[in-house]
Amino acid sequence: MKKFYVIGNPVDHSLSPKLHNYWFKKNNIKAVYNIKKINELDIKKVVSEMKDGKIDGINVTVPFKKSIIPFLDELTPIANEARSVNTIYNKDNIIIGDNTDVSGFEHGLNHIDYNVTGKKIFILGAGGVAPSIILALKKMSASKIILSNRTKEKAEDMKKIYPYIELADWGDIKPFDMIINATSVGLKVEDELKLNFGQSGSNKLFYDVIYNPKKTKFLLQGKKLGSQTENGKKMFAYQAQLAFETWHGIKPSVDERVLQLLEND
Ligand code: ATR
């Protein structure tokens, strides 16, 4: 029986086991996918278990997407560019770190027929997920990518790596077609970004990477302003789809049944 894990901390709320185990059943794959809560010191051991063939594949979530990199043998070009690994596989005993978040973000937008080409995109937050979003937006030919982070130095560091982005001071909301919450604010229902989007106009897209809770205060604010809203559920489903395909050579479907499965209980 093949074994797969999502490693992180906290990781209890991850929906990856639910989704991958559903797809195993659907595709008659004899494998099991579980959660593994670890701390920084366990990373080395987990990777060596992959090398020994005790683990067949790993998804990585917060806060290890970057810190796991030195323990891996190789990175795929996209993982290297994003400096972020969320999927690990073993190819001929070489442990390879990959990133399927970039593709997940792109396919999530395709799913709702949102075309980024020529659009101005405003990103809030310069944490772990921001580089994957920046790379996806660049690939999809956004005309402008503006990044704003509470701690300005982190946004400045990001501009050193992705010089084509523009920076905005925290609280200075520049004109946009789509605004993305890539901060961790909203994970708790009562969390609120104390920002004023009043000048942004209507018919924009408010996109939150967070999918649990389903509607963050940020999305509710967007809705109130007459804009379209979207949470990170589809991005999550599509990053899982690509990880699954990488491990099993089968592309599972992301359909209504799957999206329903990911609804919060
Ligand atoms: P990390 O910074 O370790 O990568 P993360 O969860 O990936 O962690 O990122 C958290 C993001 O949410 C950061 O952009 C963080 O901003 P800071 O760099 O200023 O810390 C942002 N964030 C968290 N709490 C916030 C708050 N109350 N207001 C605004 N931004 C916040």
Side-chain angles (χ1 to χ4, degrees), residues 62-63 124-130 148-152 154 170 181-185 187 192-194:
V62 282
L124 298 164
V129 74
S148 183
N149 194 56
R150 179 182 60 176
T151 311
K152 201 174 178 184
K154 264 166 86 176
W170 189 247
N181 177 30
T183 74
S184 48
V185 181
L187 283 171
E192 186 165 11
L193 283 166
K194 294 195 174 60

Side-chain angles (χ1 to χ4, degrees), residues 97-147:
D98 194 9
N99 175 310
T100 69
D101 288 329
V102 177
S103 164
F105 182 79
E106 182 182 357
H107 285 91
L109 285 183
N110 289 343
H111 189 117
I112 58 166
D113 287 329
Y114 188 81
N115 186 1
V116 163
T117 307
K119 301 248 170 67
K120 293 194 273 296
I121 320 287
F122 196 100
I123 305 173
L124 298 164
V129 74
S132 298
I133 291 174
I134 292 171
L135 291 177
L137 290 170
K138 179 72 179 162
K139 178 166 177 257
M140 290 186 280
S141 307
S143 66
K144 216 181 237 200
I145 303 170
I146 309 159
L147 180 73

Side-chain angles (χ1 to χ4, degrees), residues 51-224:
K51 201 123 198 170
D52 297 342
K54 288 183 196 145
I55 298 177
D56 298 278
I58 294 174
N59 276 139
V60 187
T61 188
V62 282
F64 303 123
K65 288 186 181 187
K66 199 183 172 104
S67 54
I68 198 156
I69 290 176
F71 299 94
L72 305 172
D73 296 331
E74 272 178 28
L75 295 183
T76 60
I78 194 74
N80 188 40
E81 223 183 328
R83 288 157 167 80
S84 169
V85 165
N86 78 319
T87 302
I88 303 175
Y89 59 93
N90 184 338
K91 186 167 182 260
D92 305 327
N93 224 27
I94 296 169
I95 307 298
I96 301 174
D98 194 9
N99 175 310
T100 69
D101 288 329
V102 177
S103 164
F105 182 79
E106 182 182 357
H107 285 91
L109 285 183
N110 289 343
H111 189 117
I112 58 166
D113 287 329
Y114 188 81
N115 186 1
V116 163
T117 307
K119 301 248 170 67
K120 293 194 273 296
I121 320 287
F122 196 100
I123 305 173
L124 298 164
V129 74
S132 298
I133 291 174
I134 292 171
L135 291 177
L137 290 170
K138 179 72 179 162
K139 178 166 177 257
M140 290 186 280
S141 307
S143 66
K144 216 181 237 200
I145 303 170
I146 309 159
L147 180 73
S148 183
N149 194 56
R150 179 182 60 176
T151 311
K152 201 174 178 184
E153 296 77 57
K154 264 166 86 176
E156 286 167 348
D157 287 347
M158 218 154 265
K159 189 170 165 68
K160 285 179 199 146
I161 307 170
Y162 312 105
Y164 49 82
I165 64 172
E166 293 177 22
L167 303 184
D169 288 339
W170 189 247
D172 181 12
I173 307 294
K174 305 282 190 202
F176 62 83
D177 298 299
M178 173 187 187
I179 188 163
I180 301 168
N181 177 30
T183 74
S184 48
V185 181
L187 283 171
K188 293 191 215 102
V189 192
E190 67 275 15
D191 279 357
E192 186 165 11
L193 283 166
K194 294 195 174 60
L195 297 173
N196 184 4
F197 307 113
Q199 305 300 313
S200 64
S202 55
N203 293 322
K204 310 293 177 187
L205 174 60
F206 277 62
Y207 185 104
D208 206 319
V209 174
I210 295 169
Y211 59 88
N212 187 7
K214 254 193 285 191
K215 277 222 184 299
T216 56
K217 288 228 165 80
F218 170 76
L219 291 186
L220 292 171
Q221 256 178 301
K223 196 163 183 195
K224 219 169 165 182

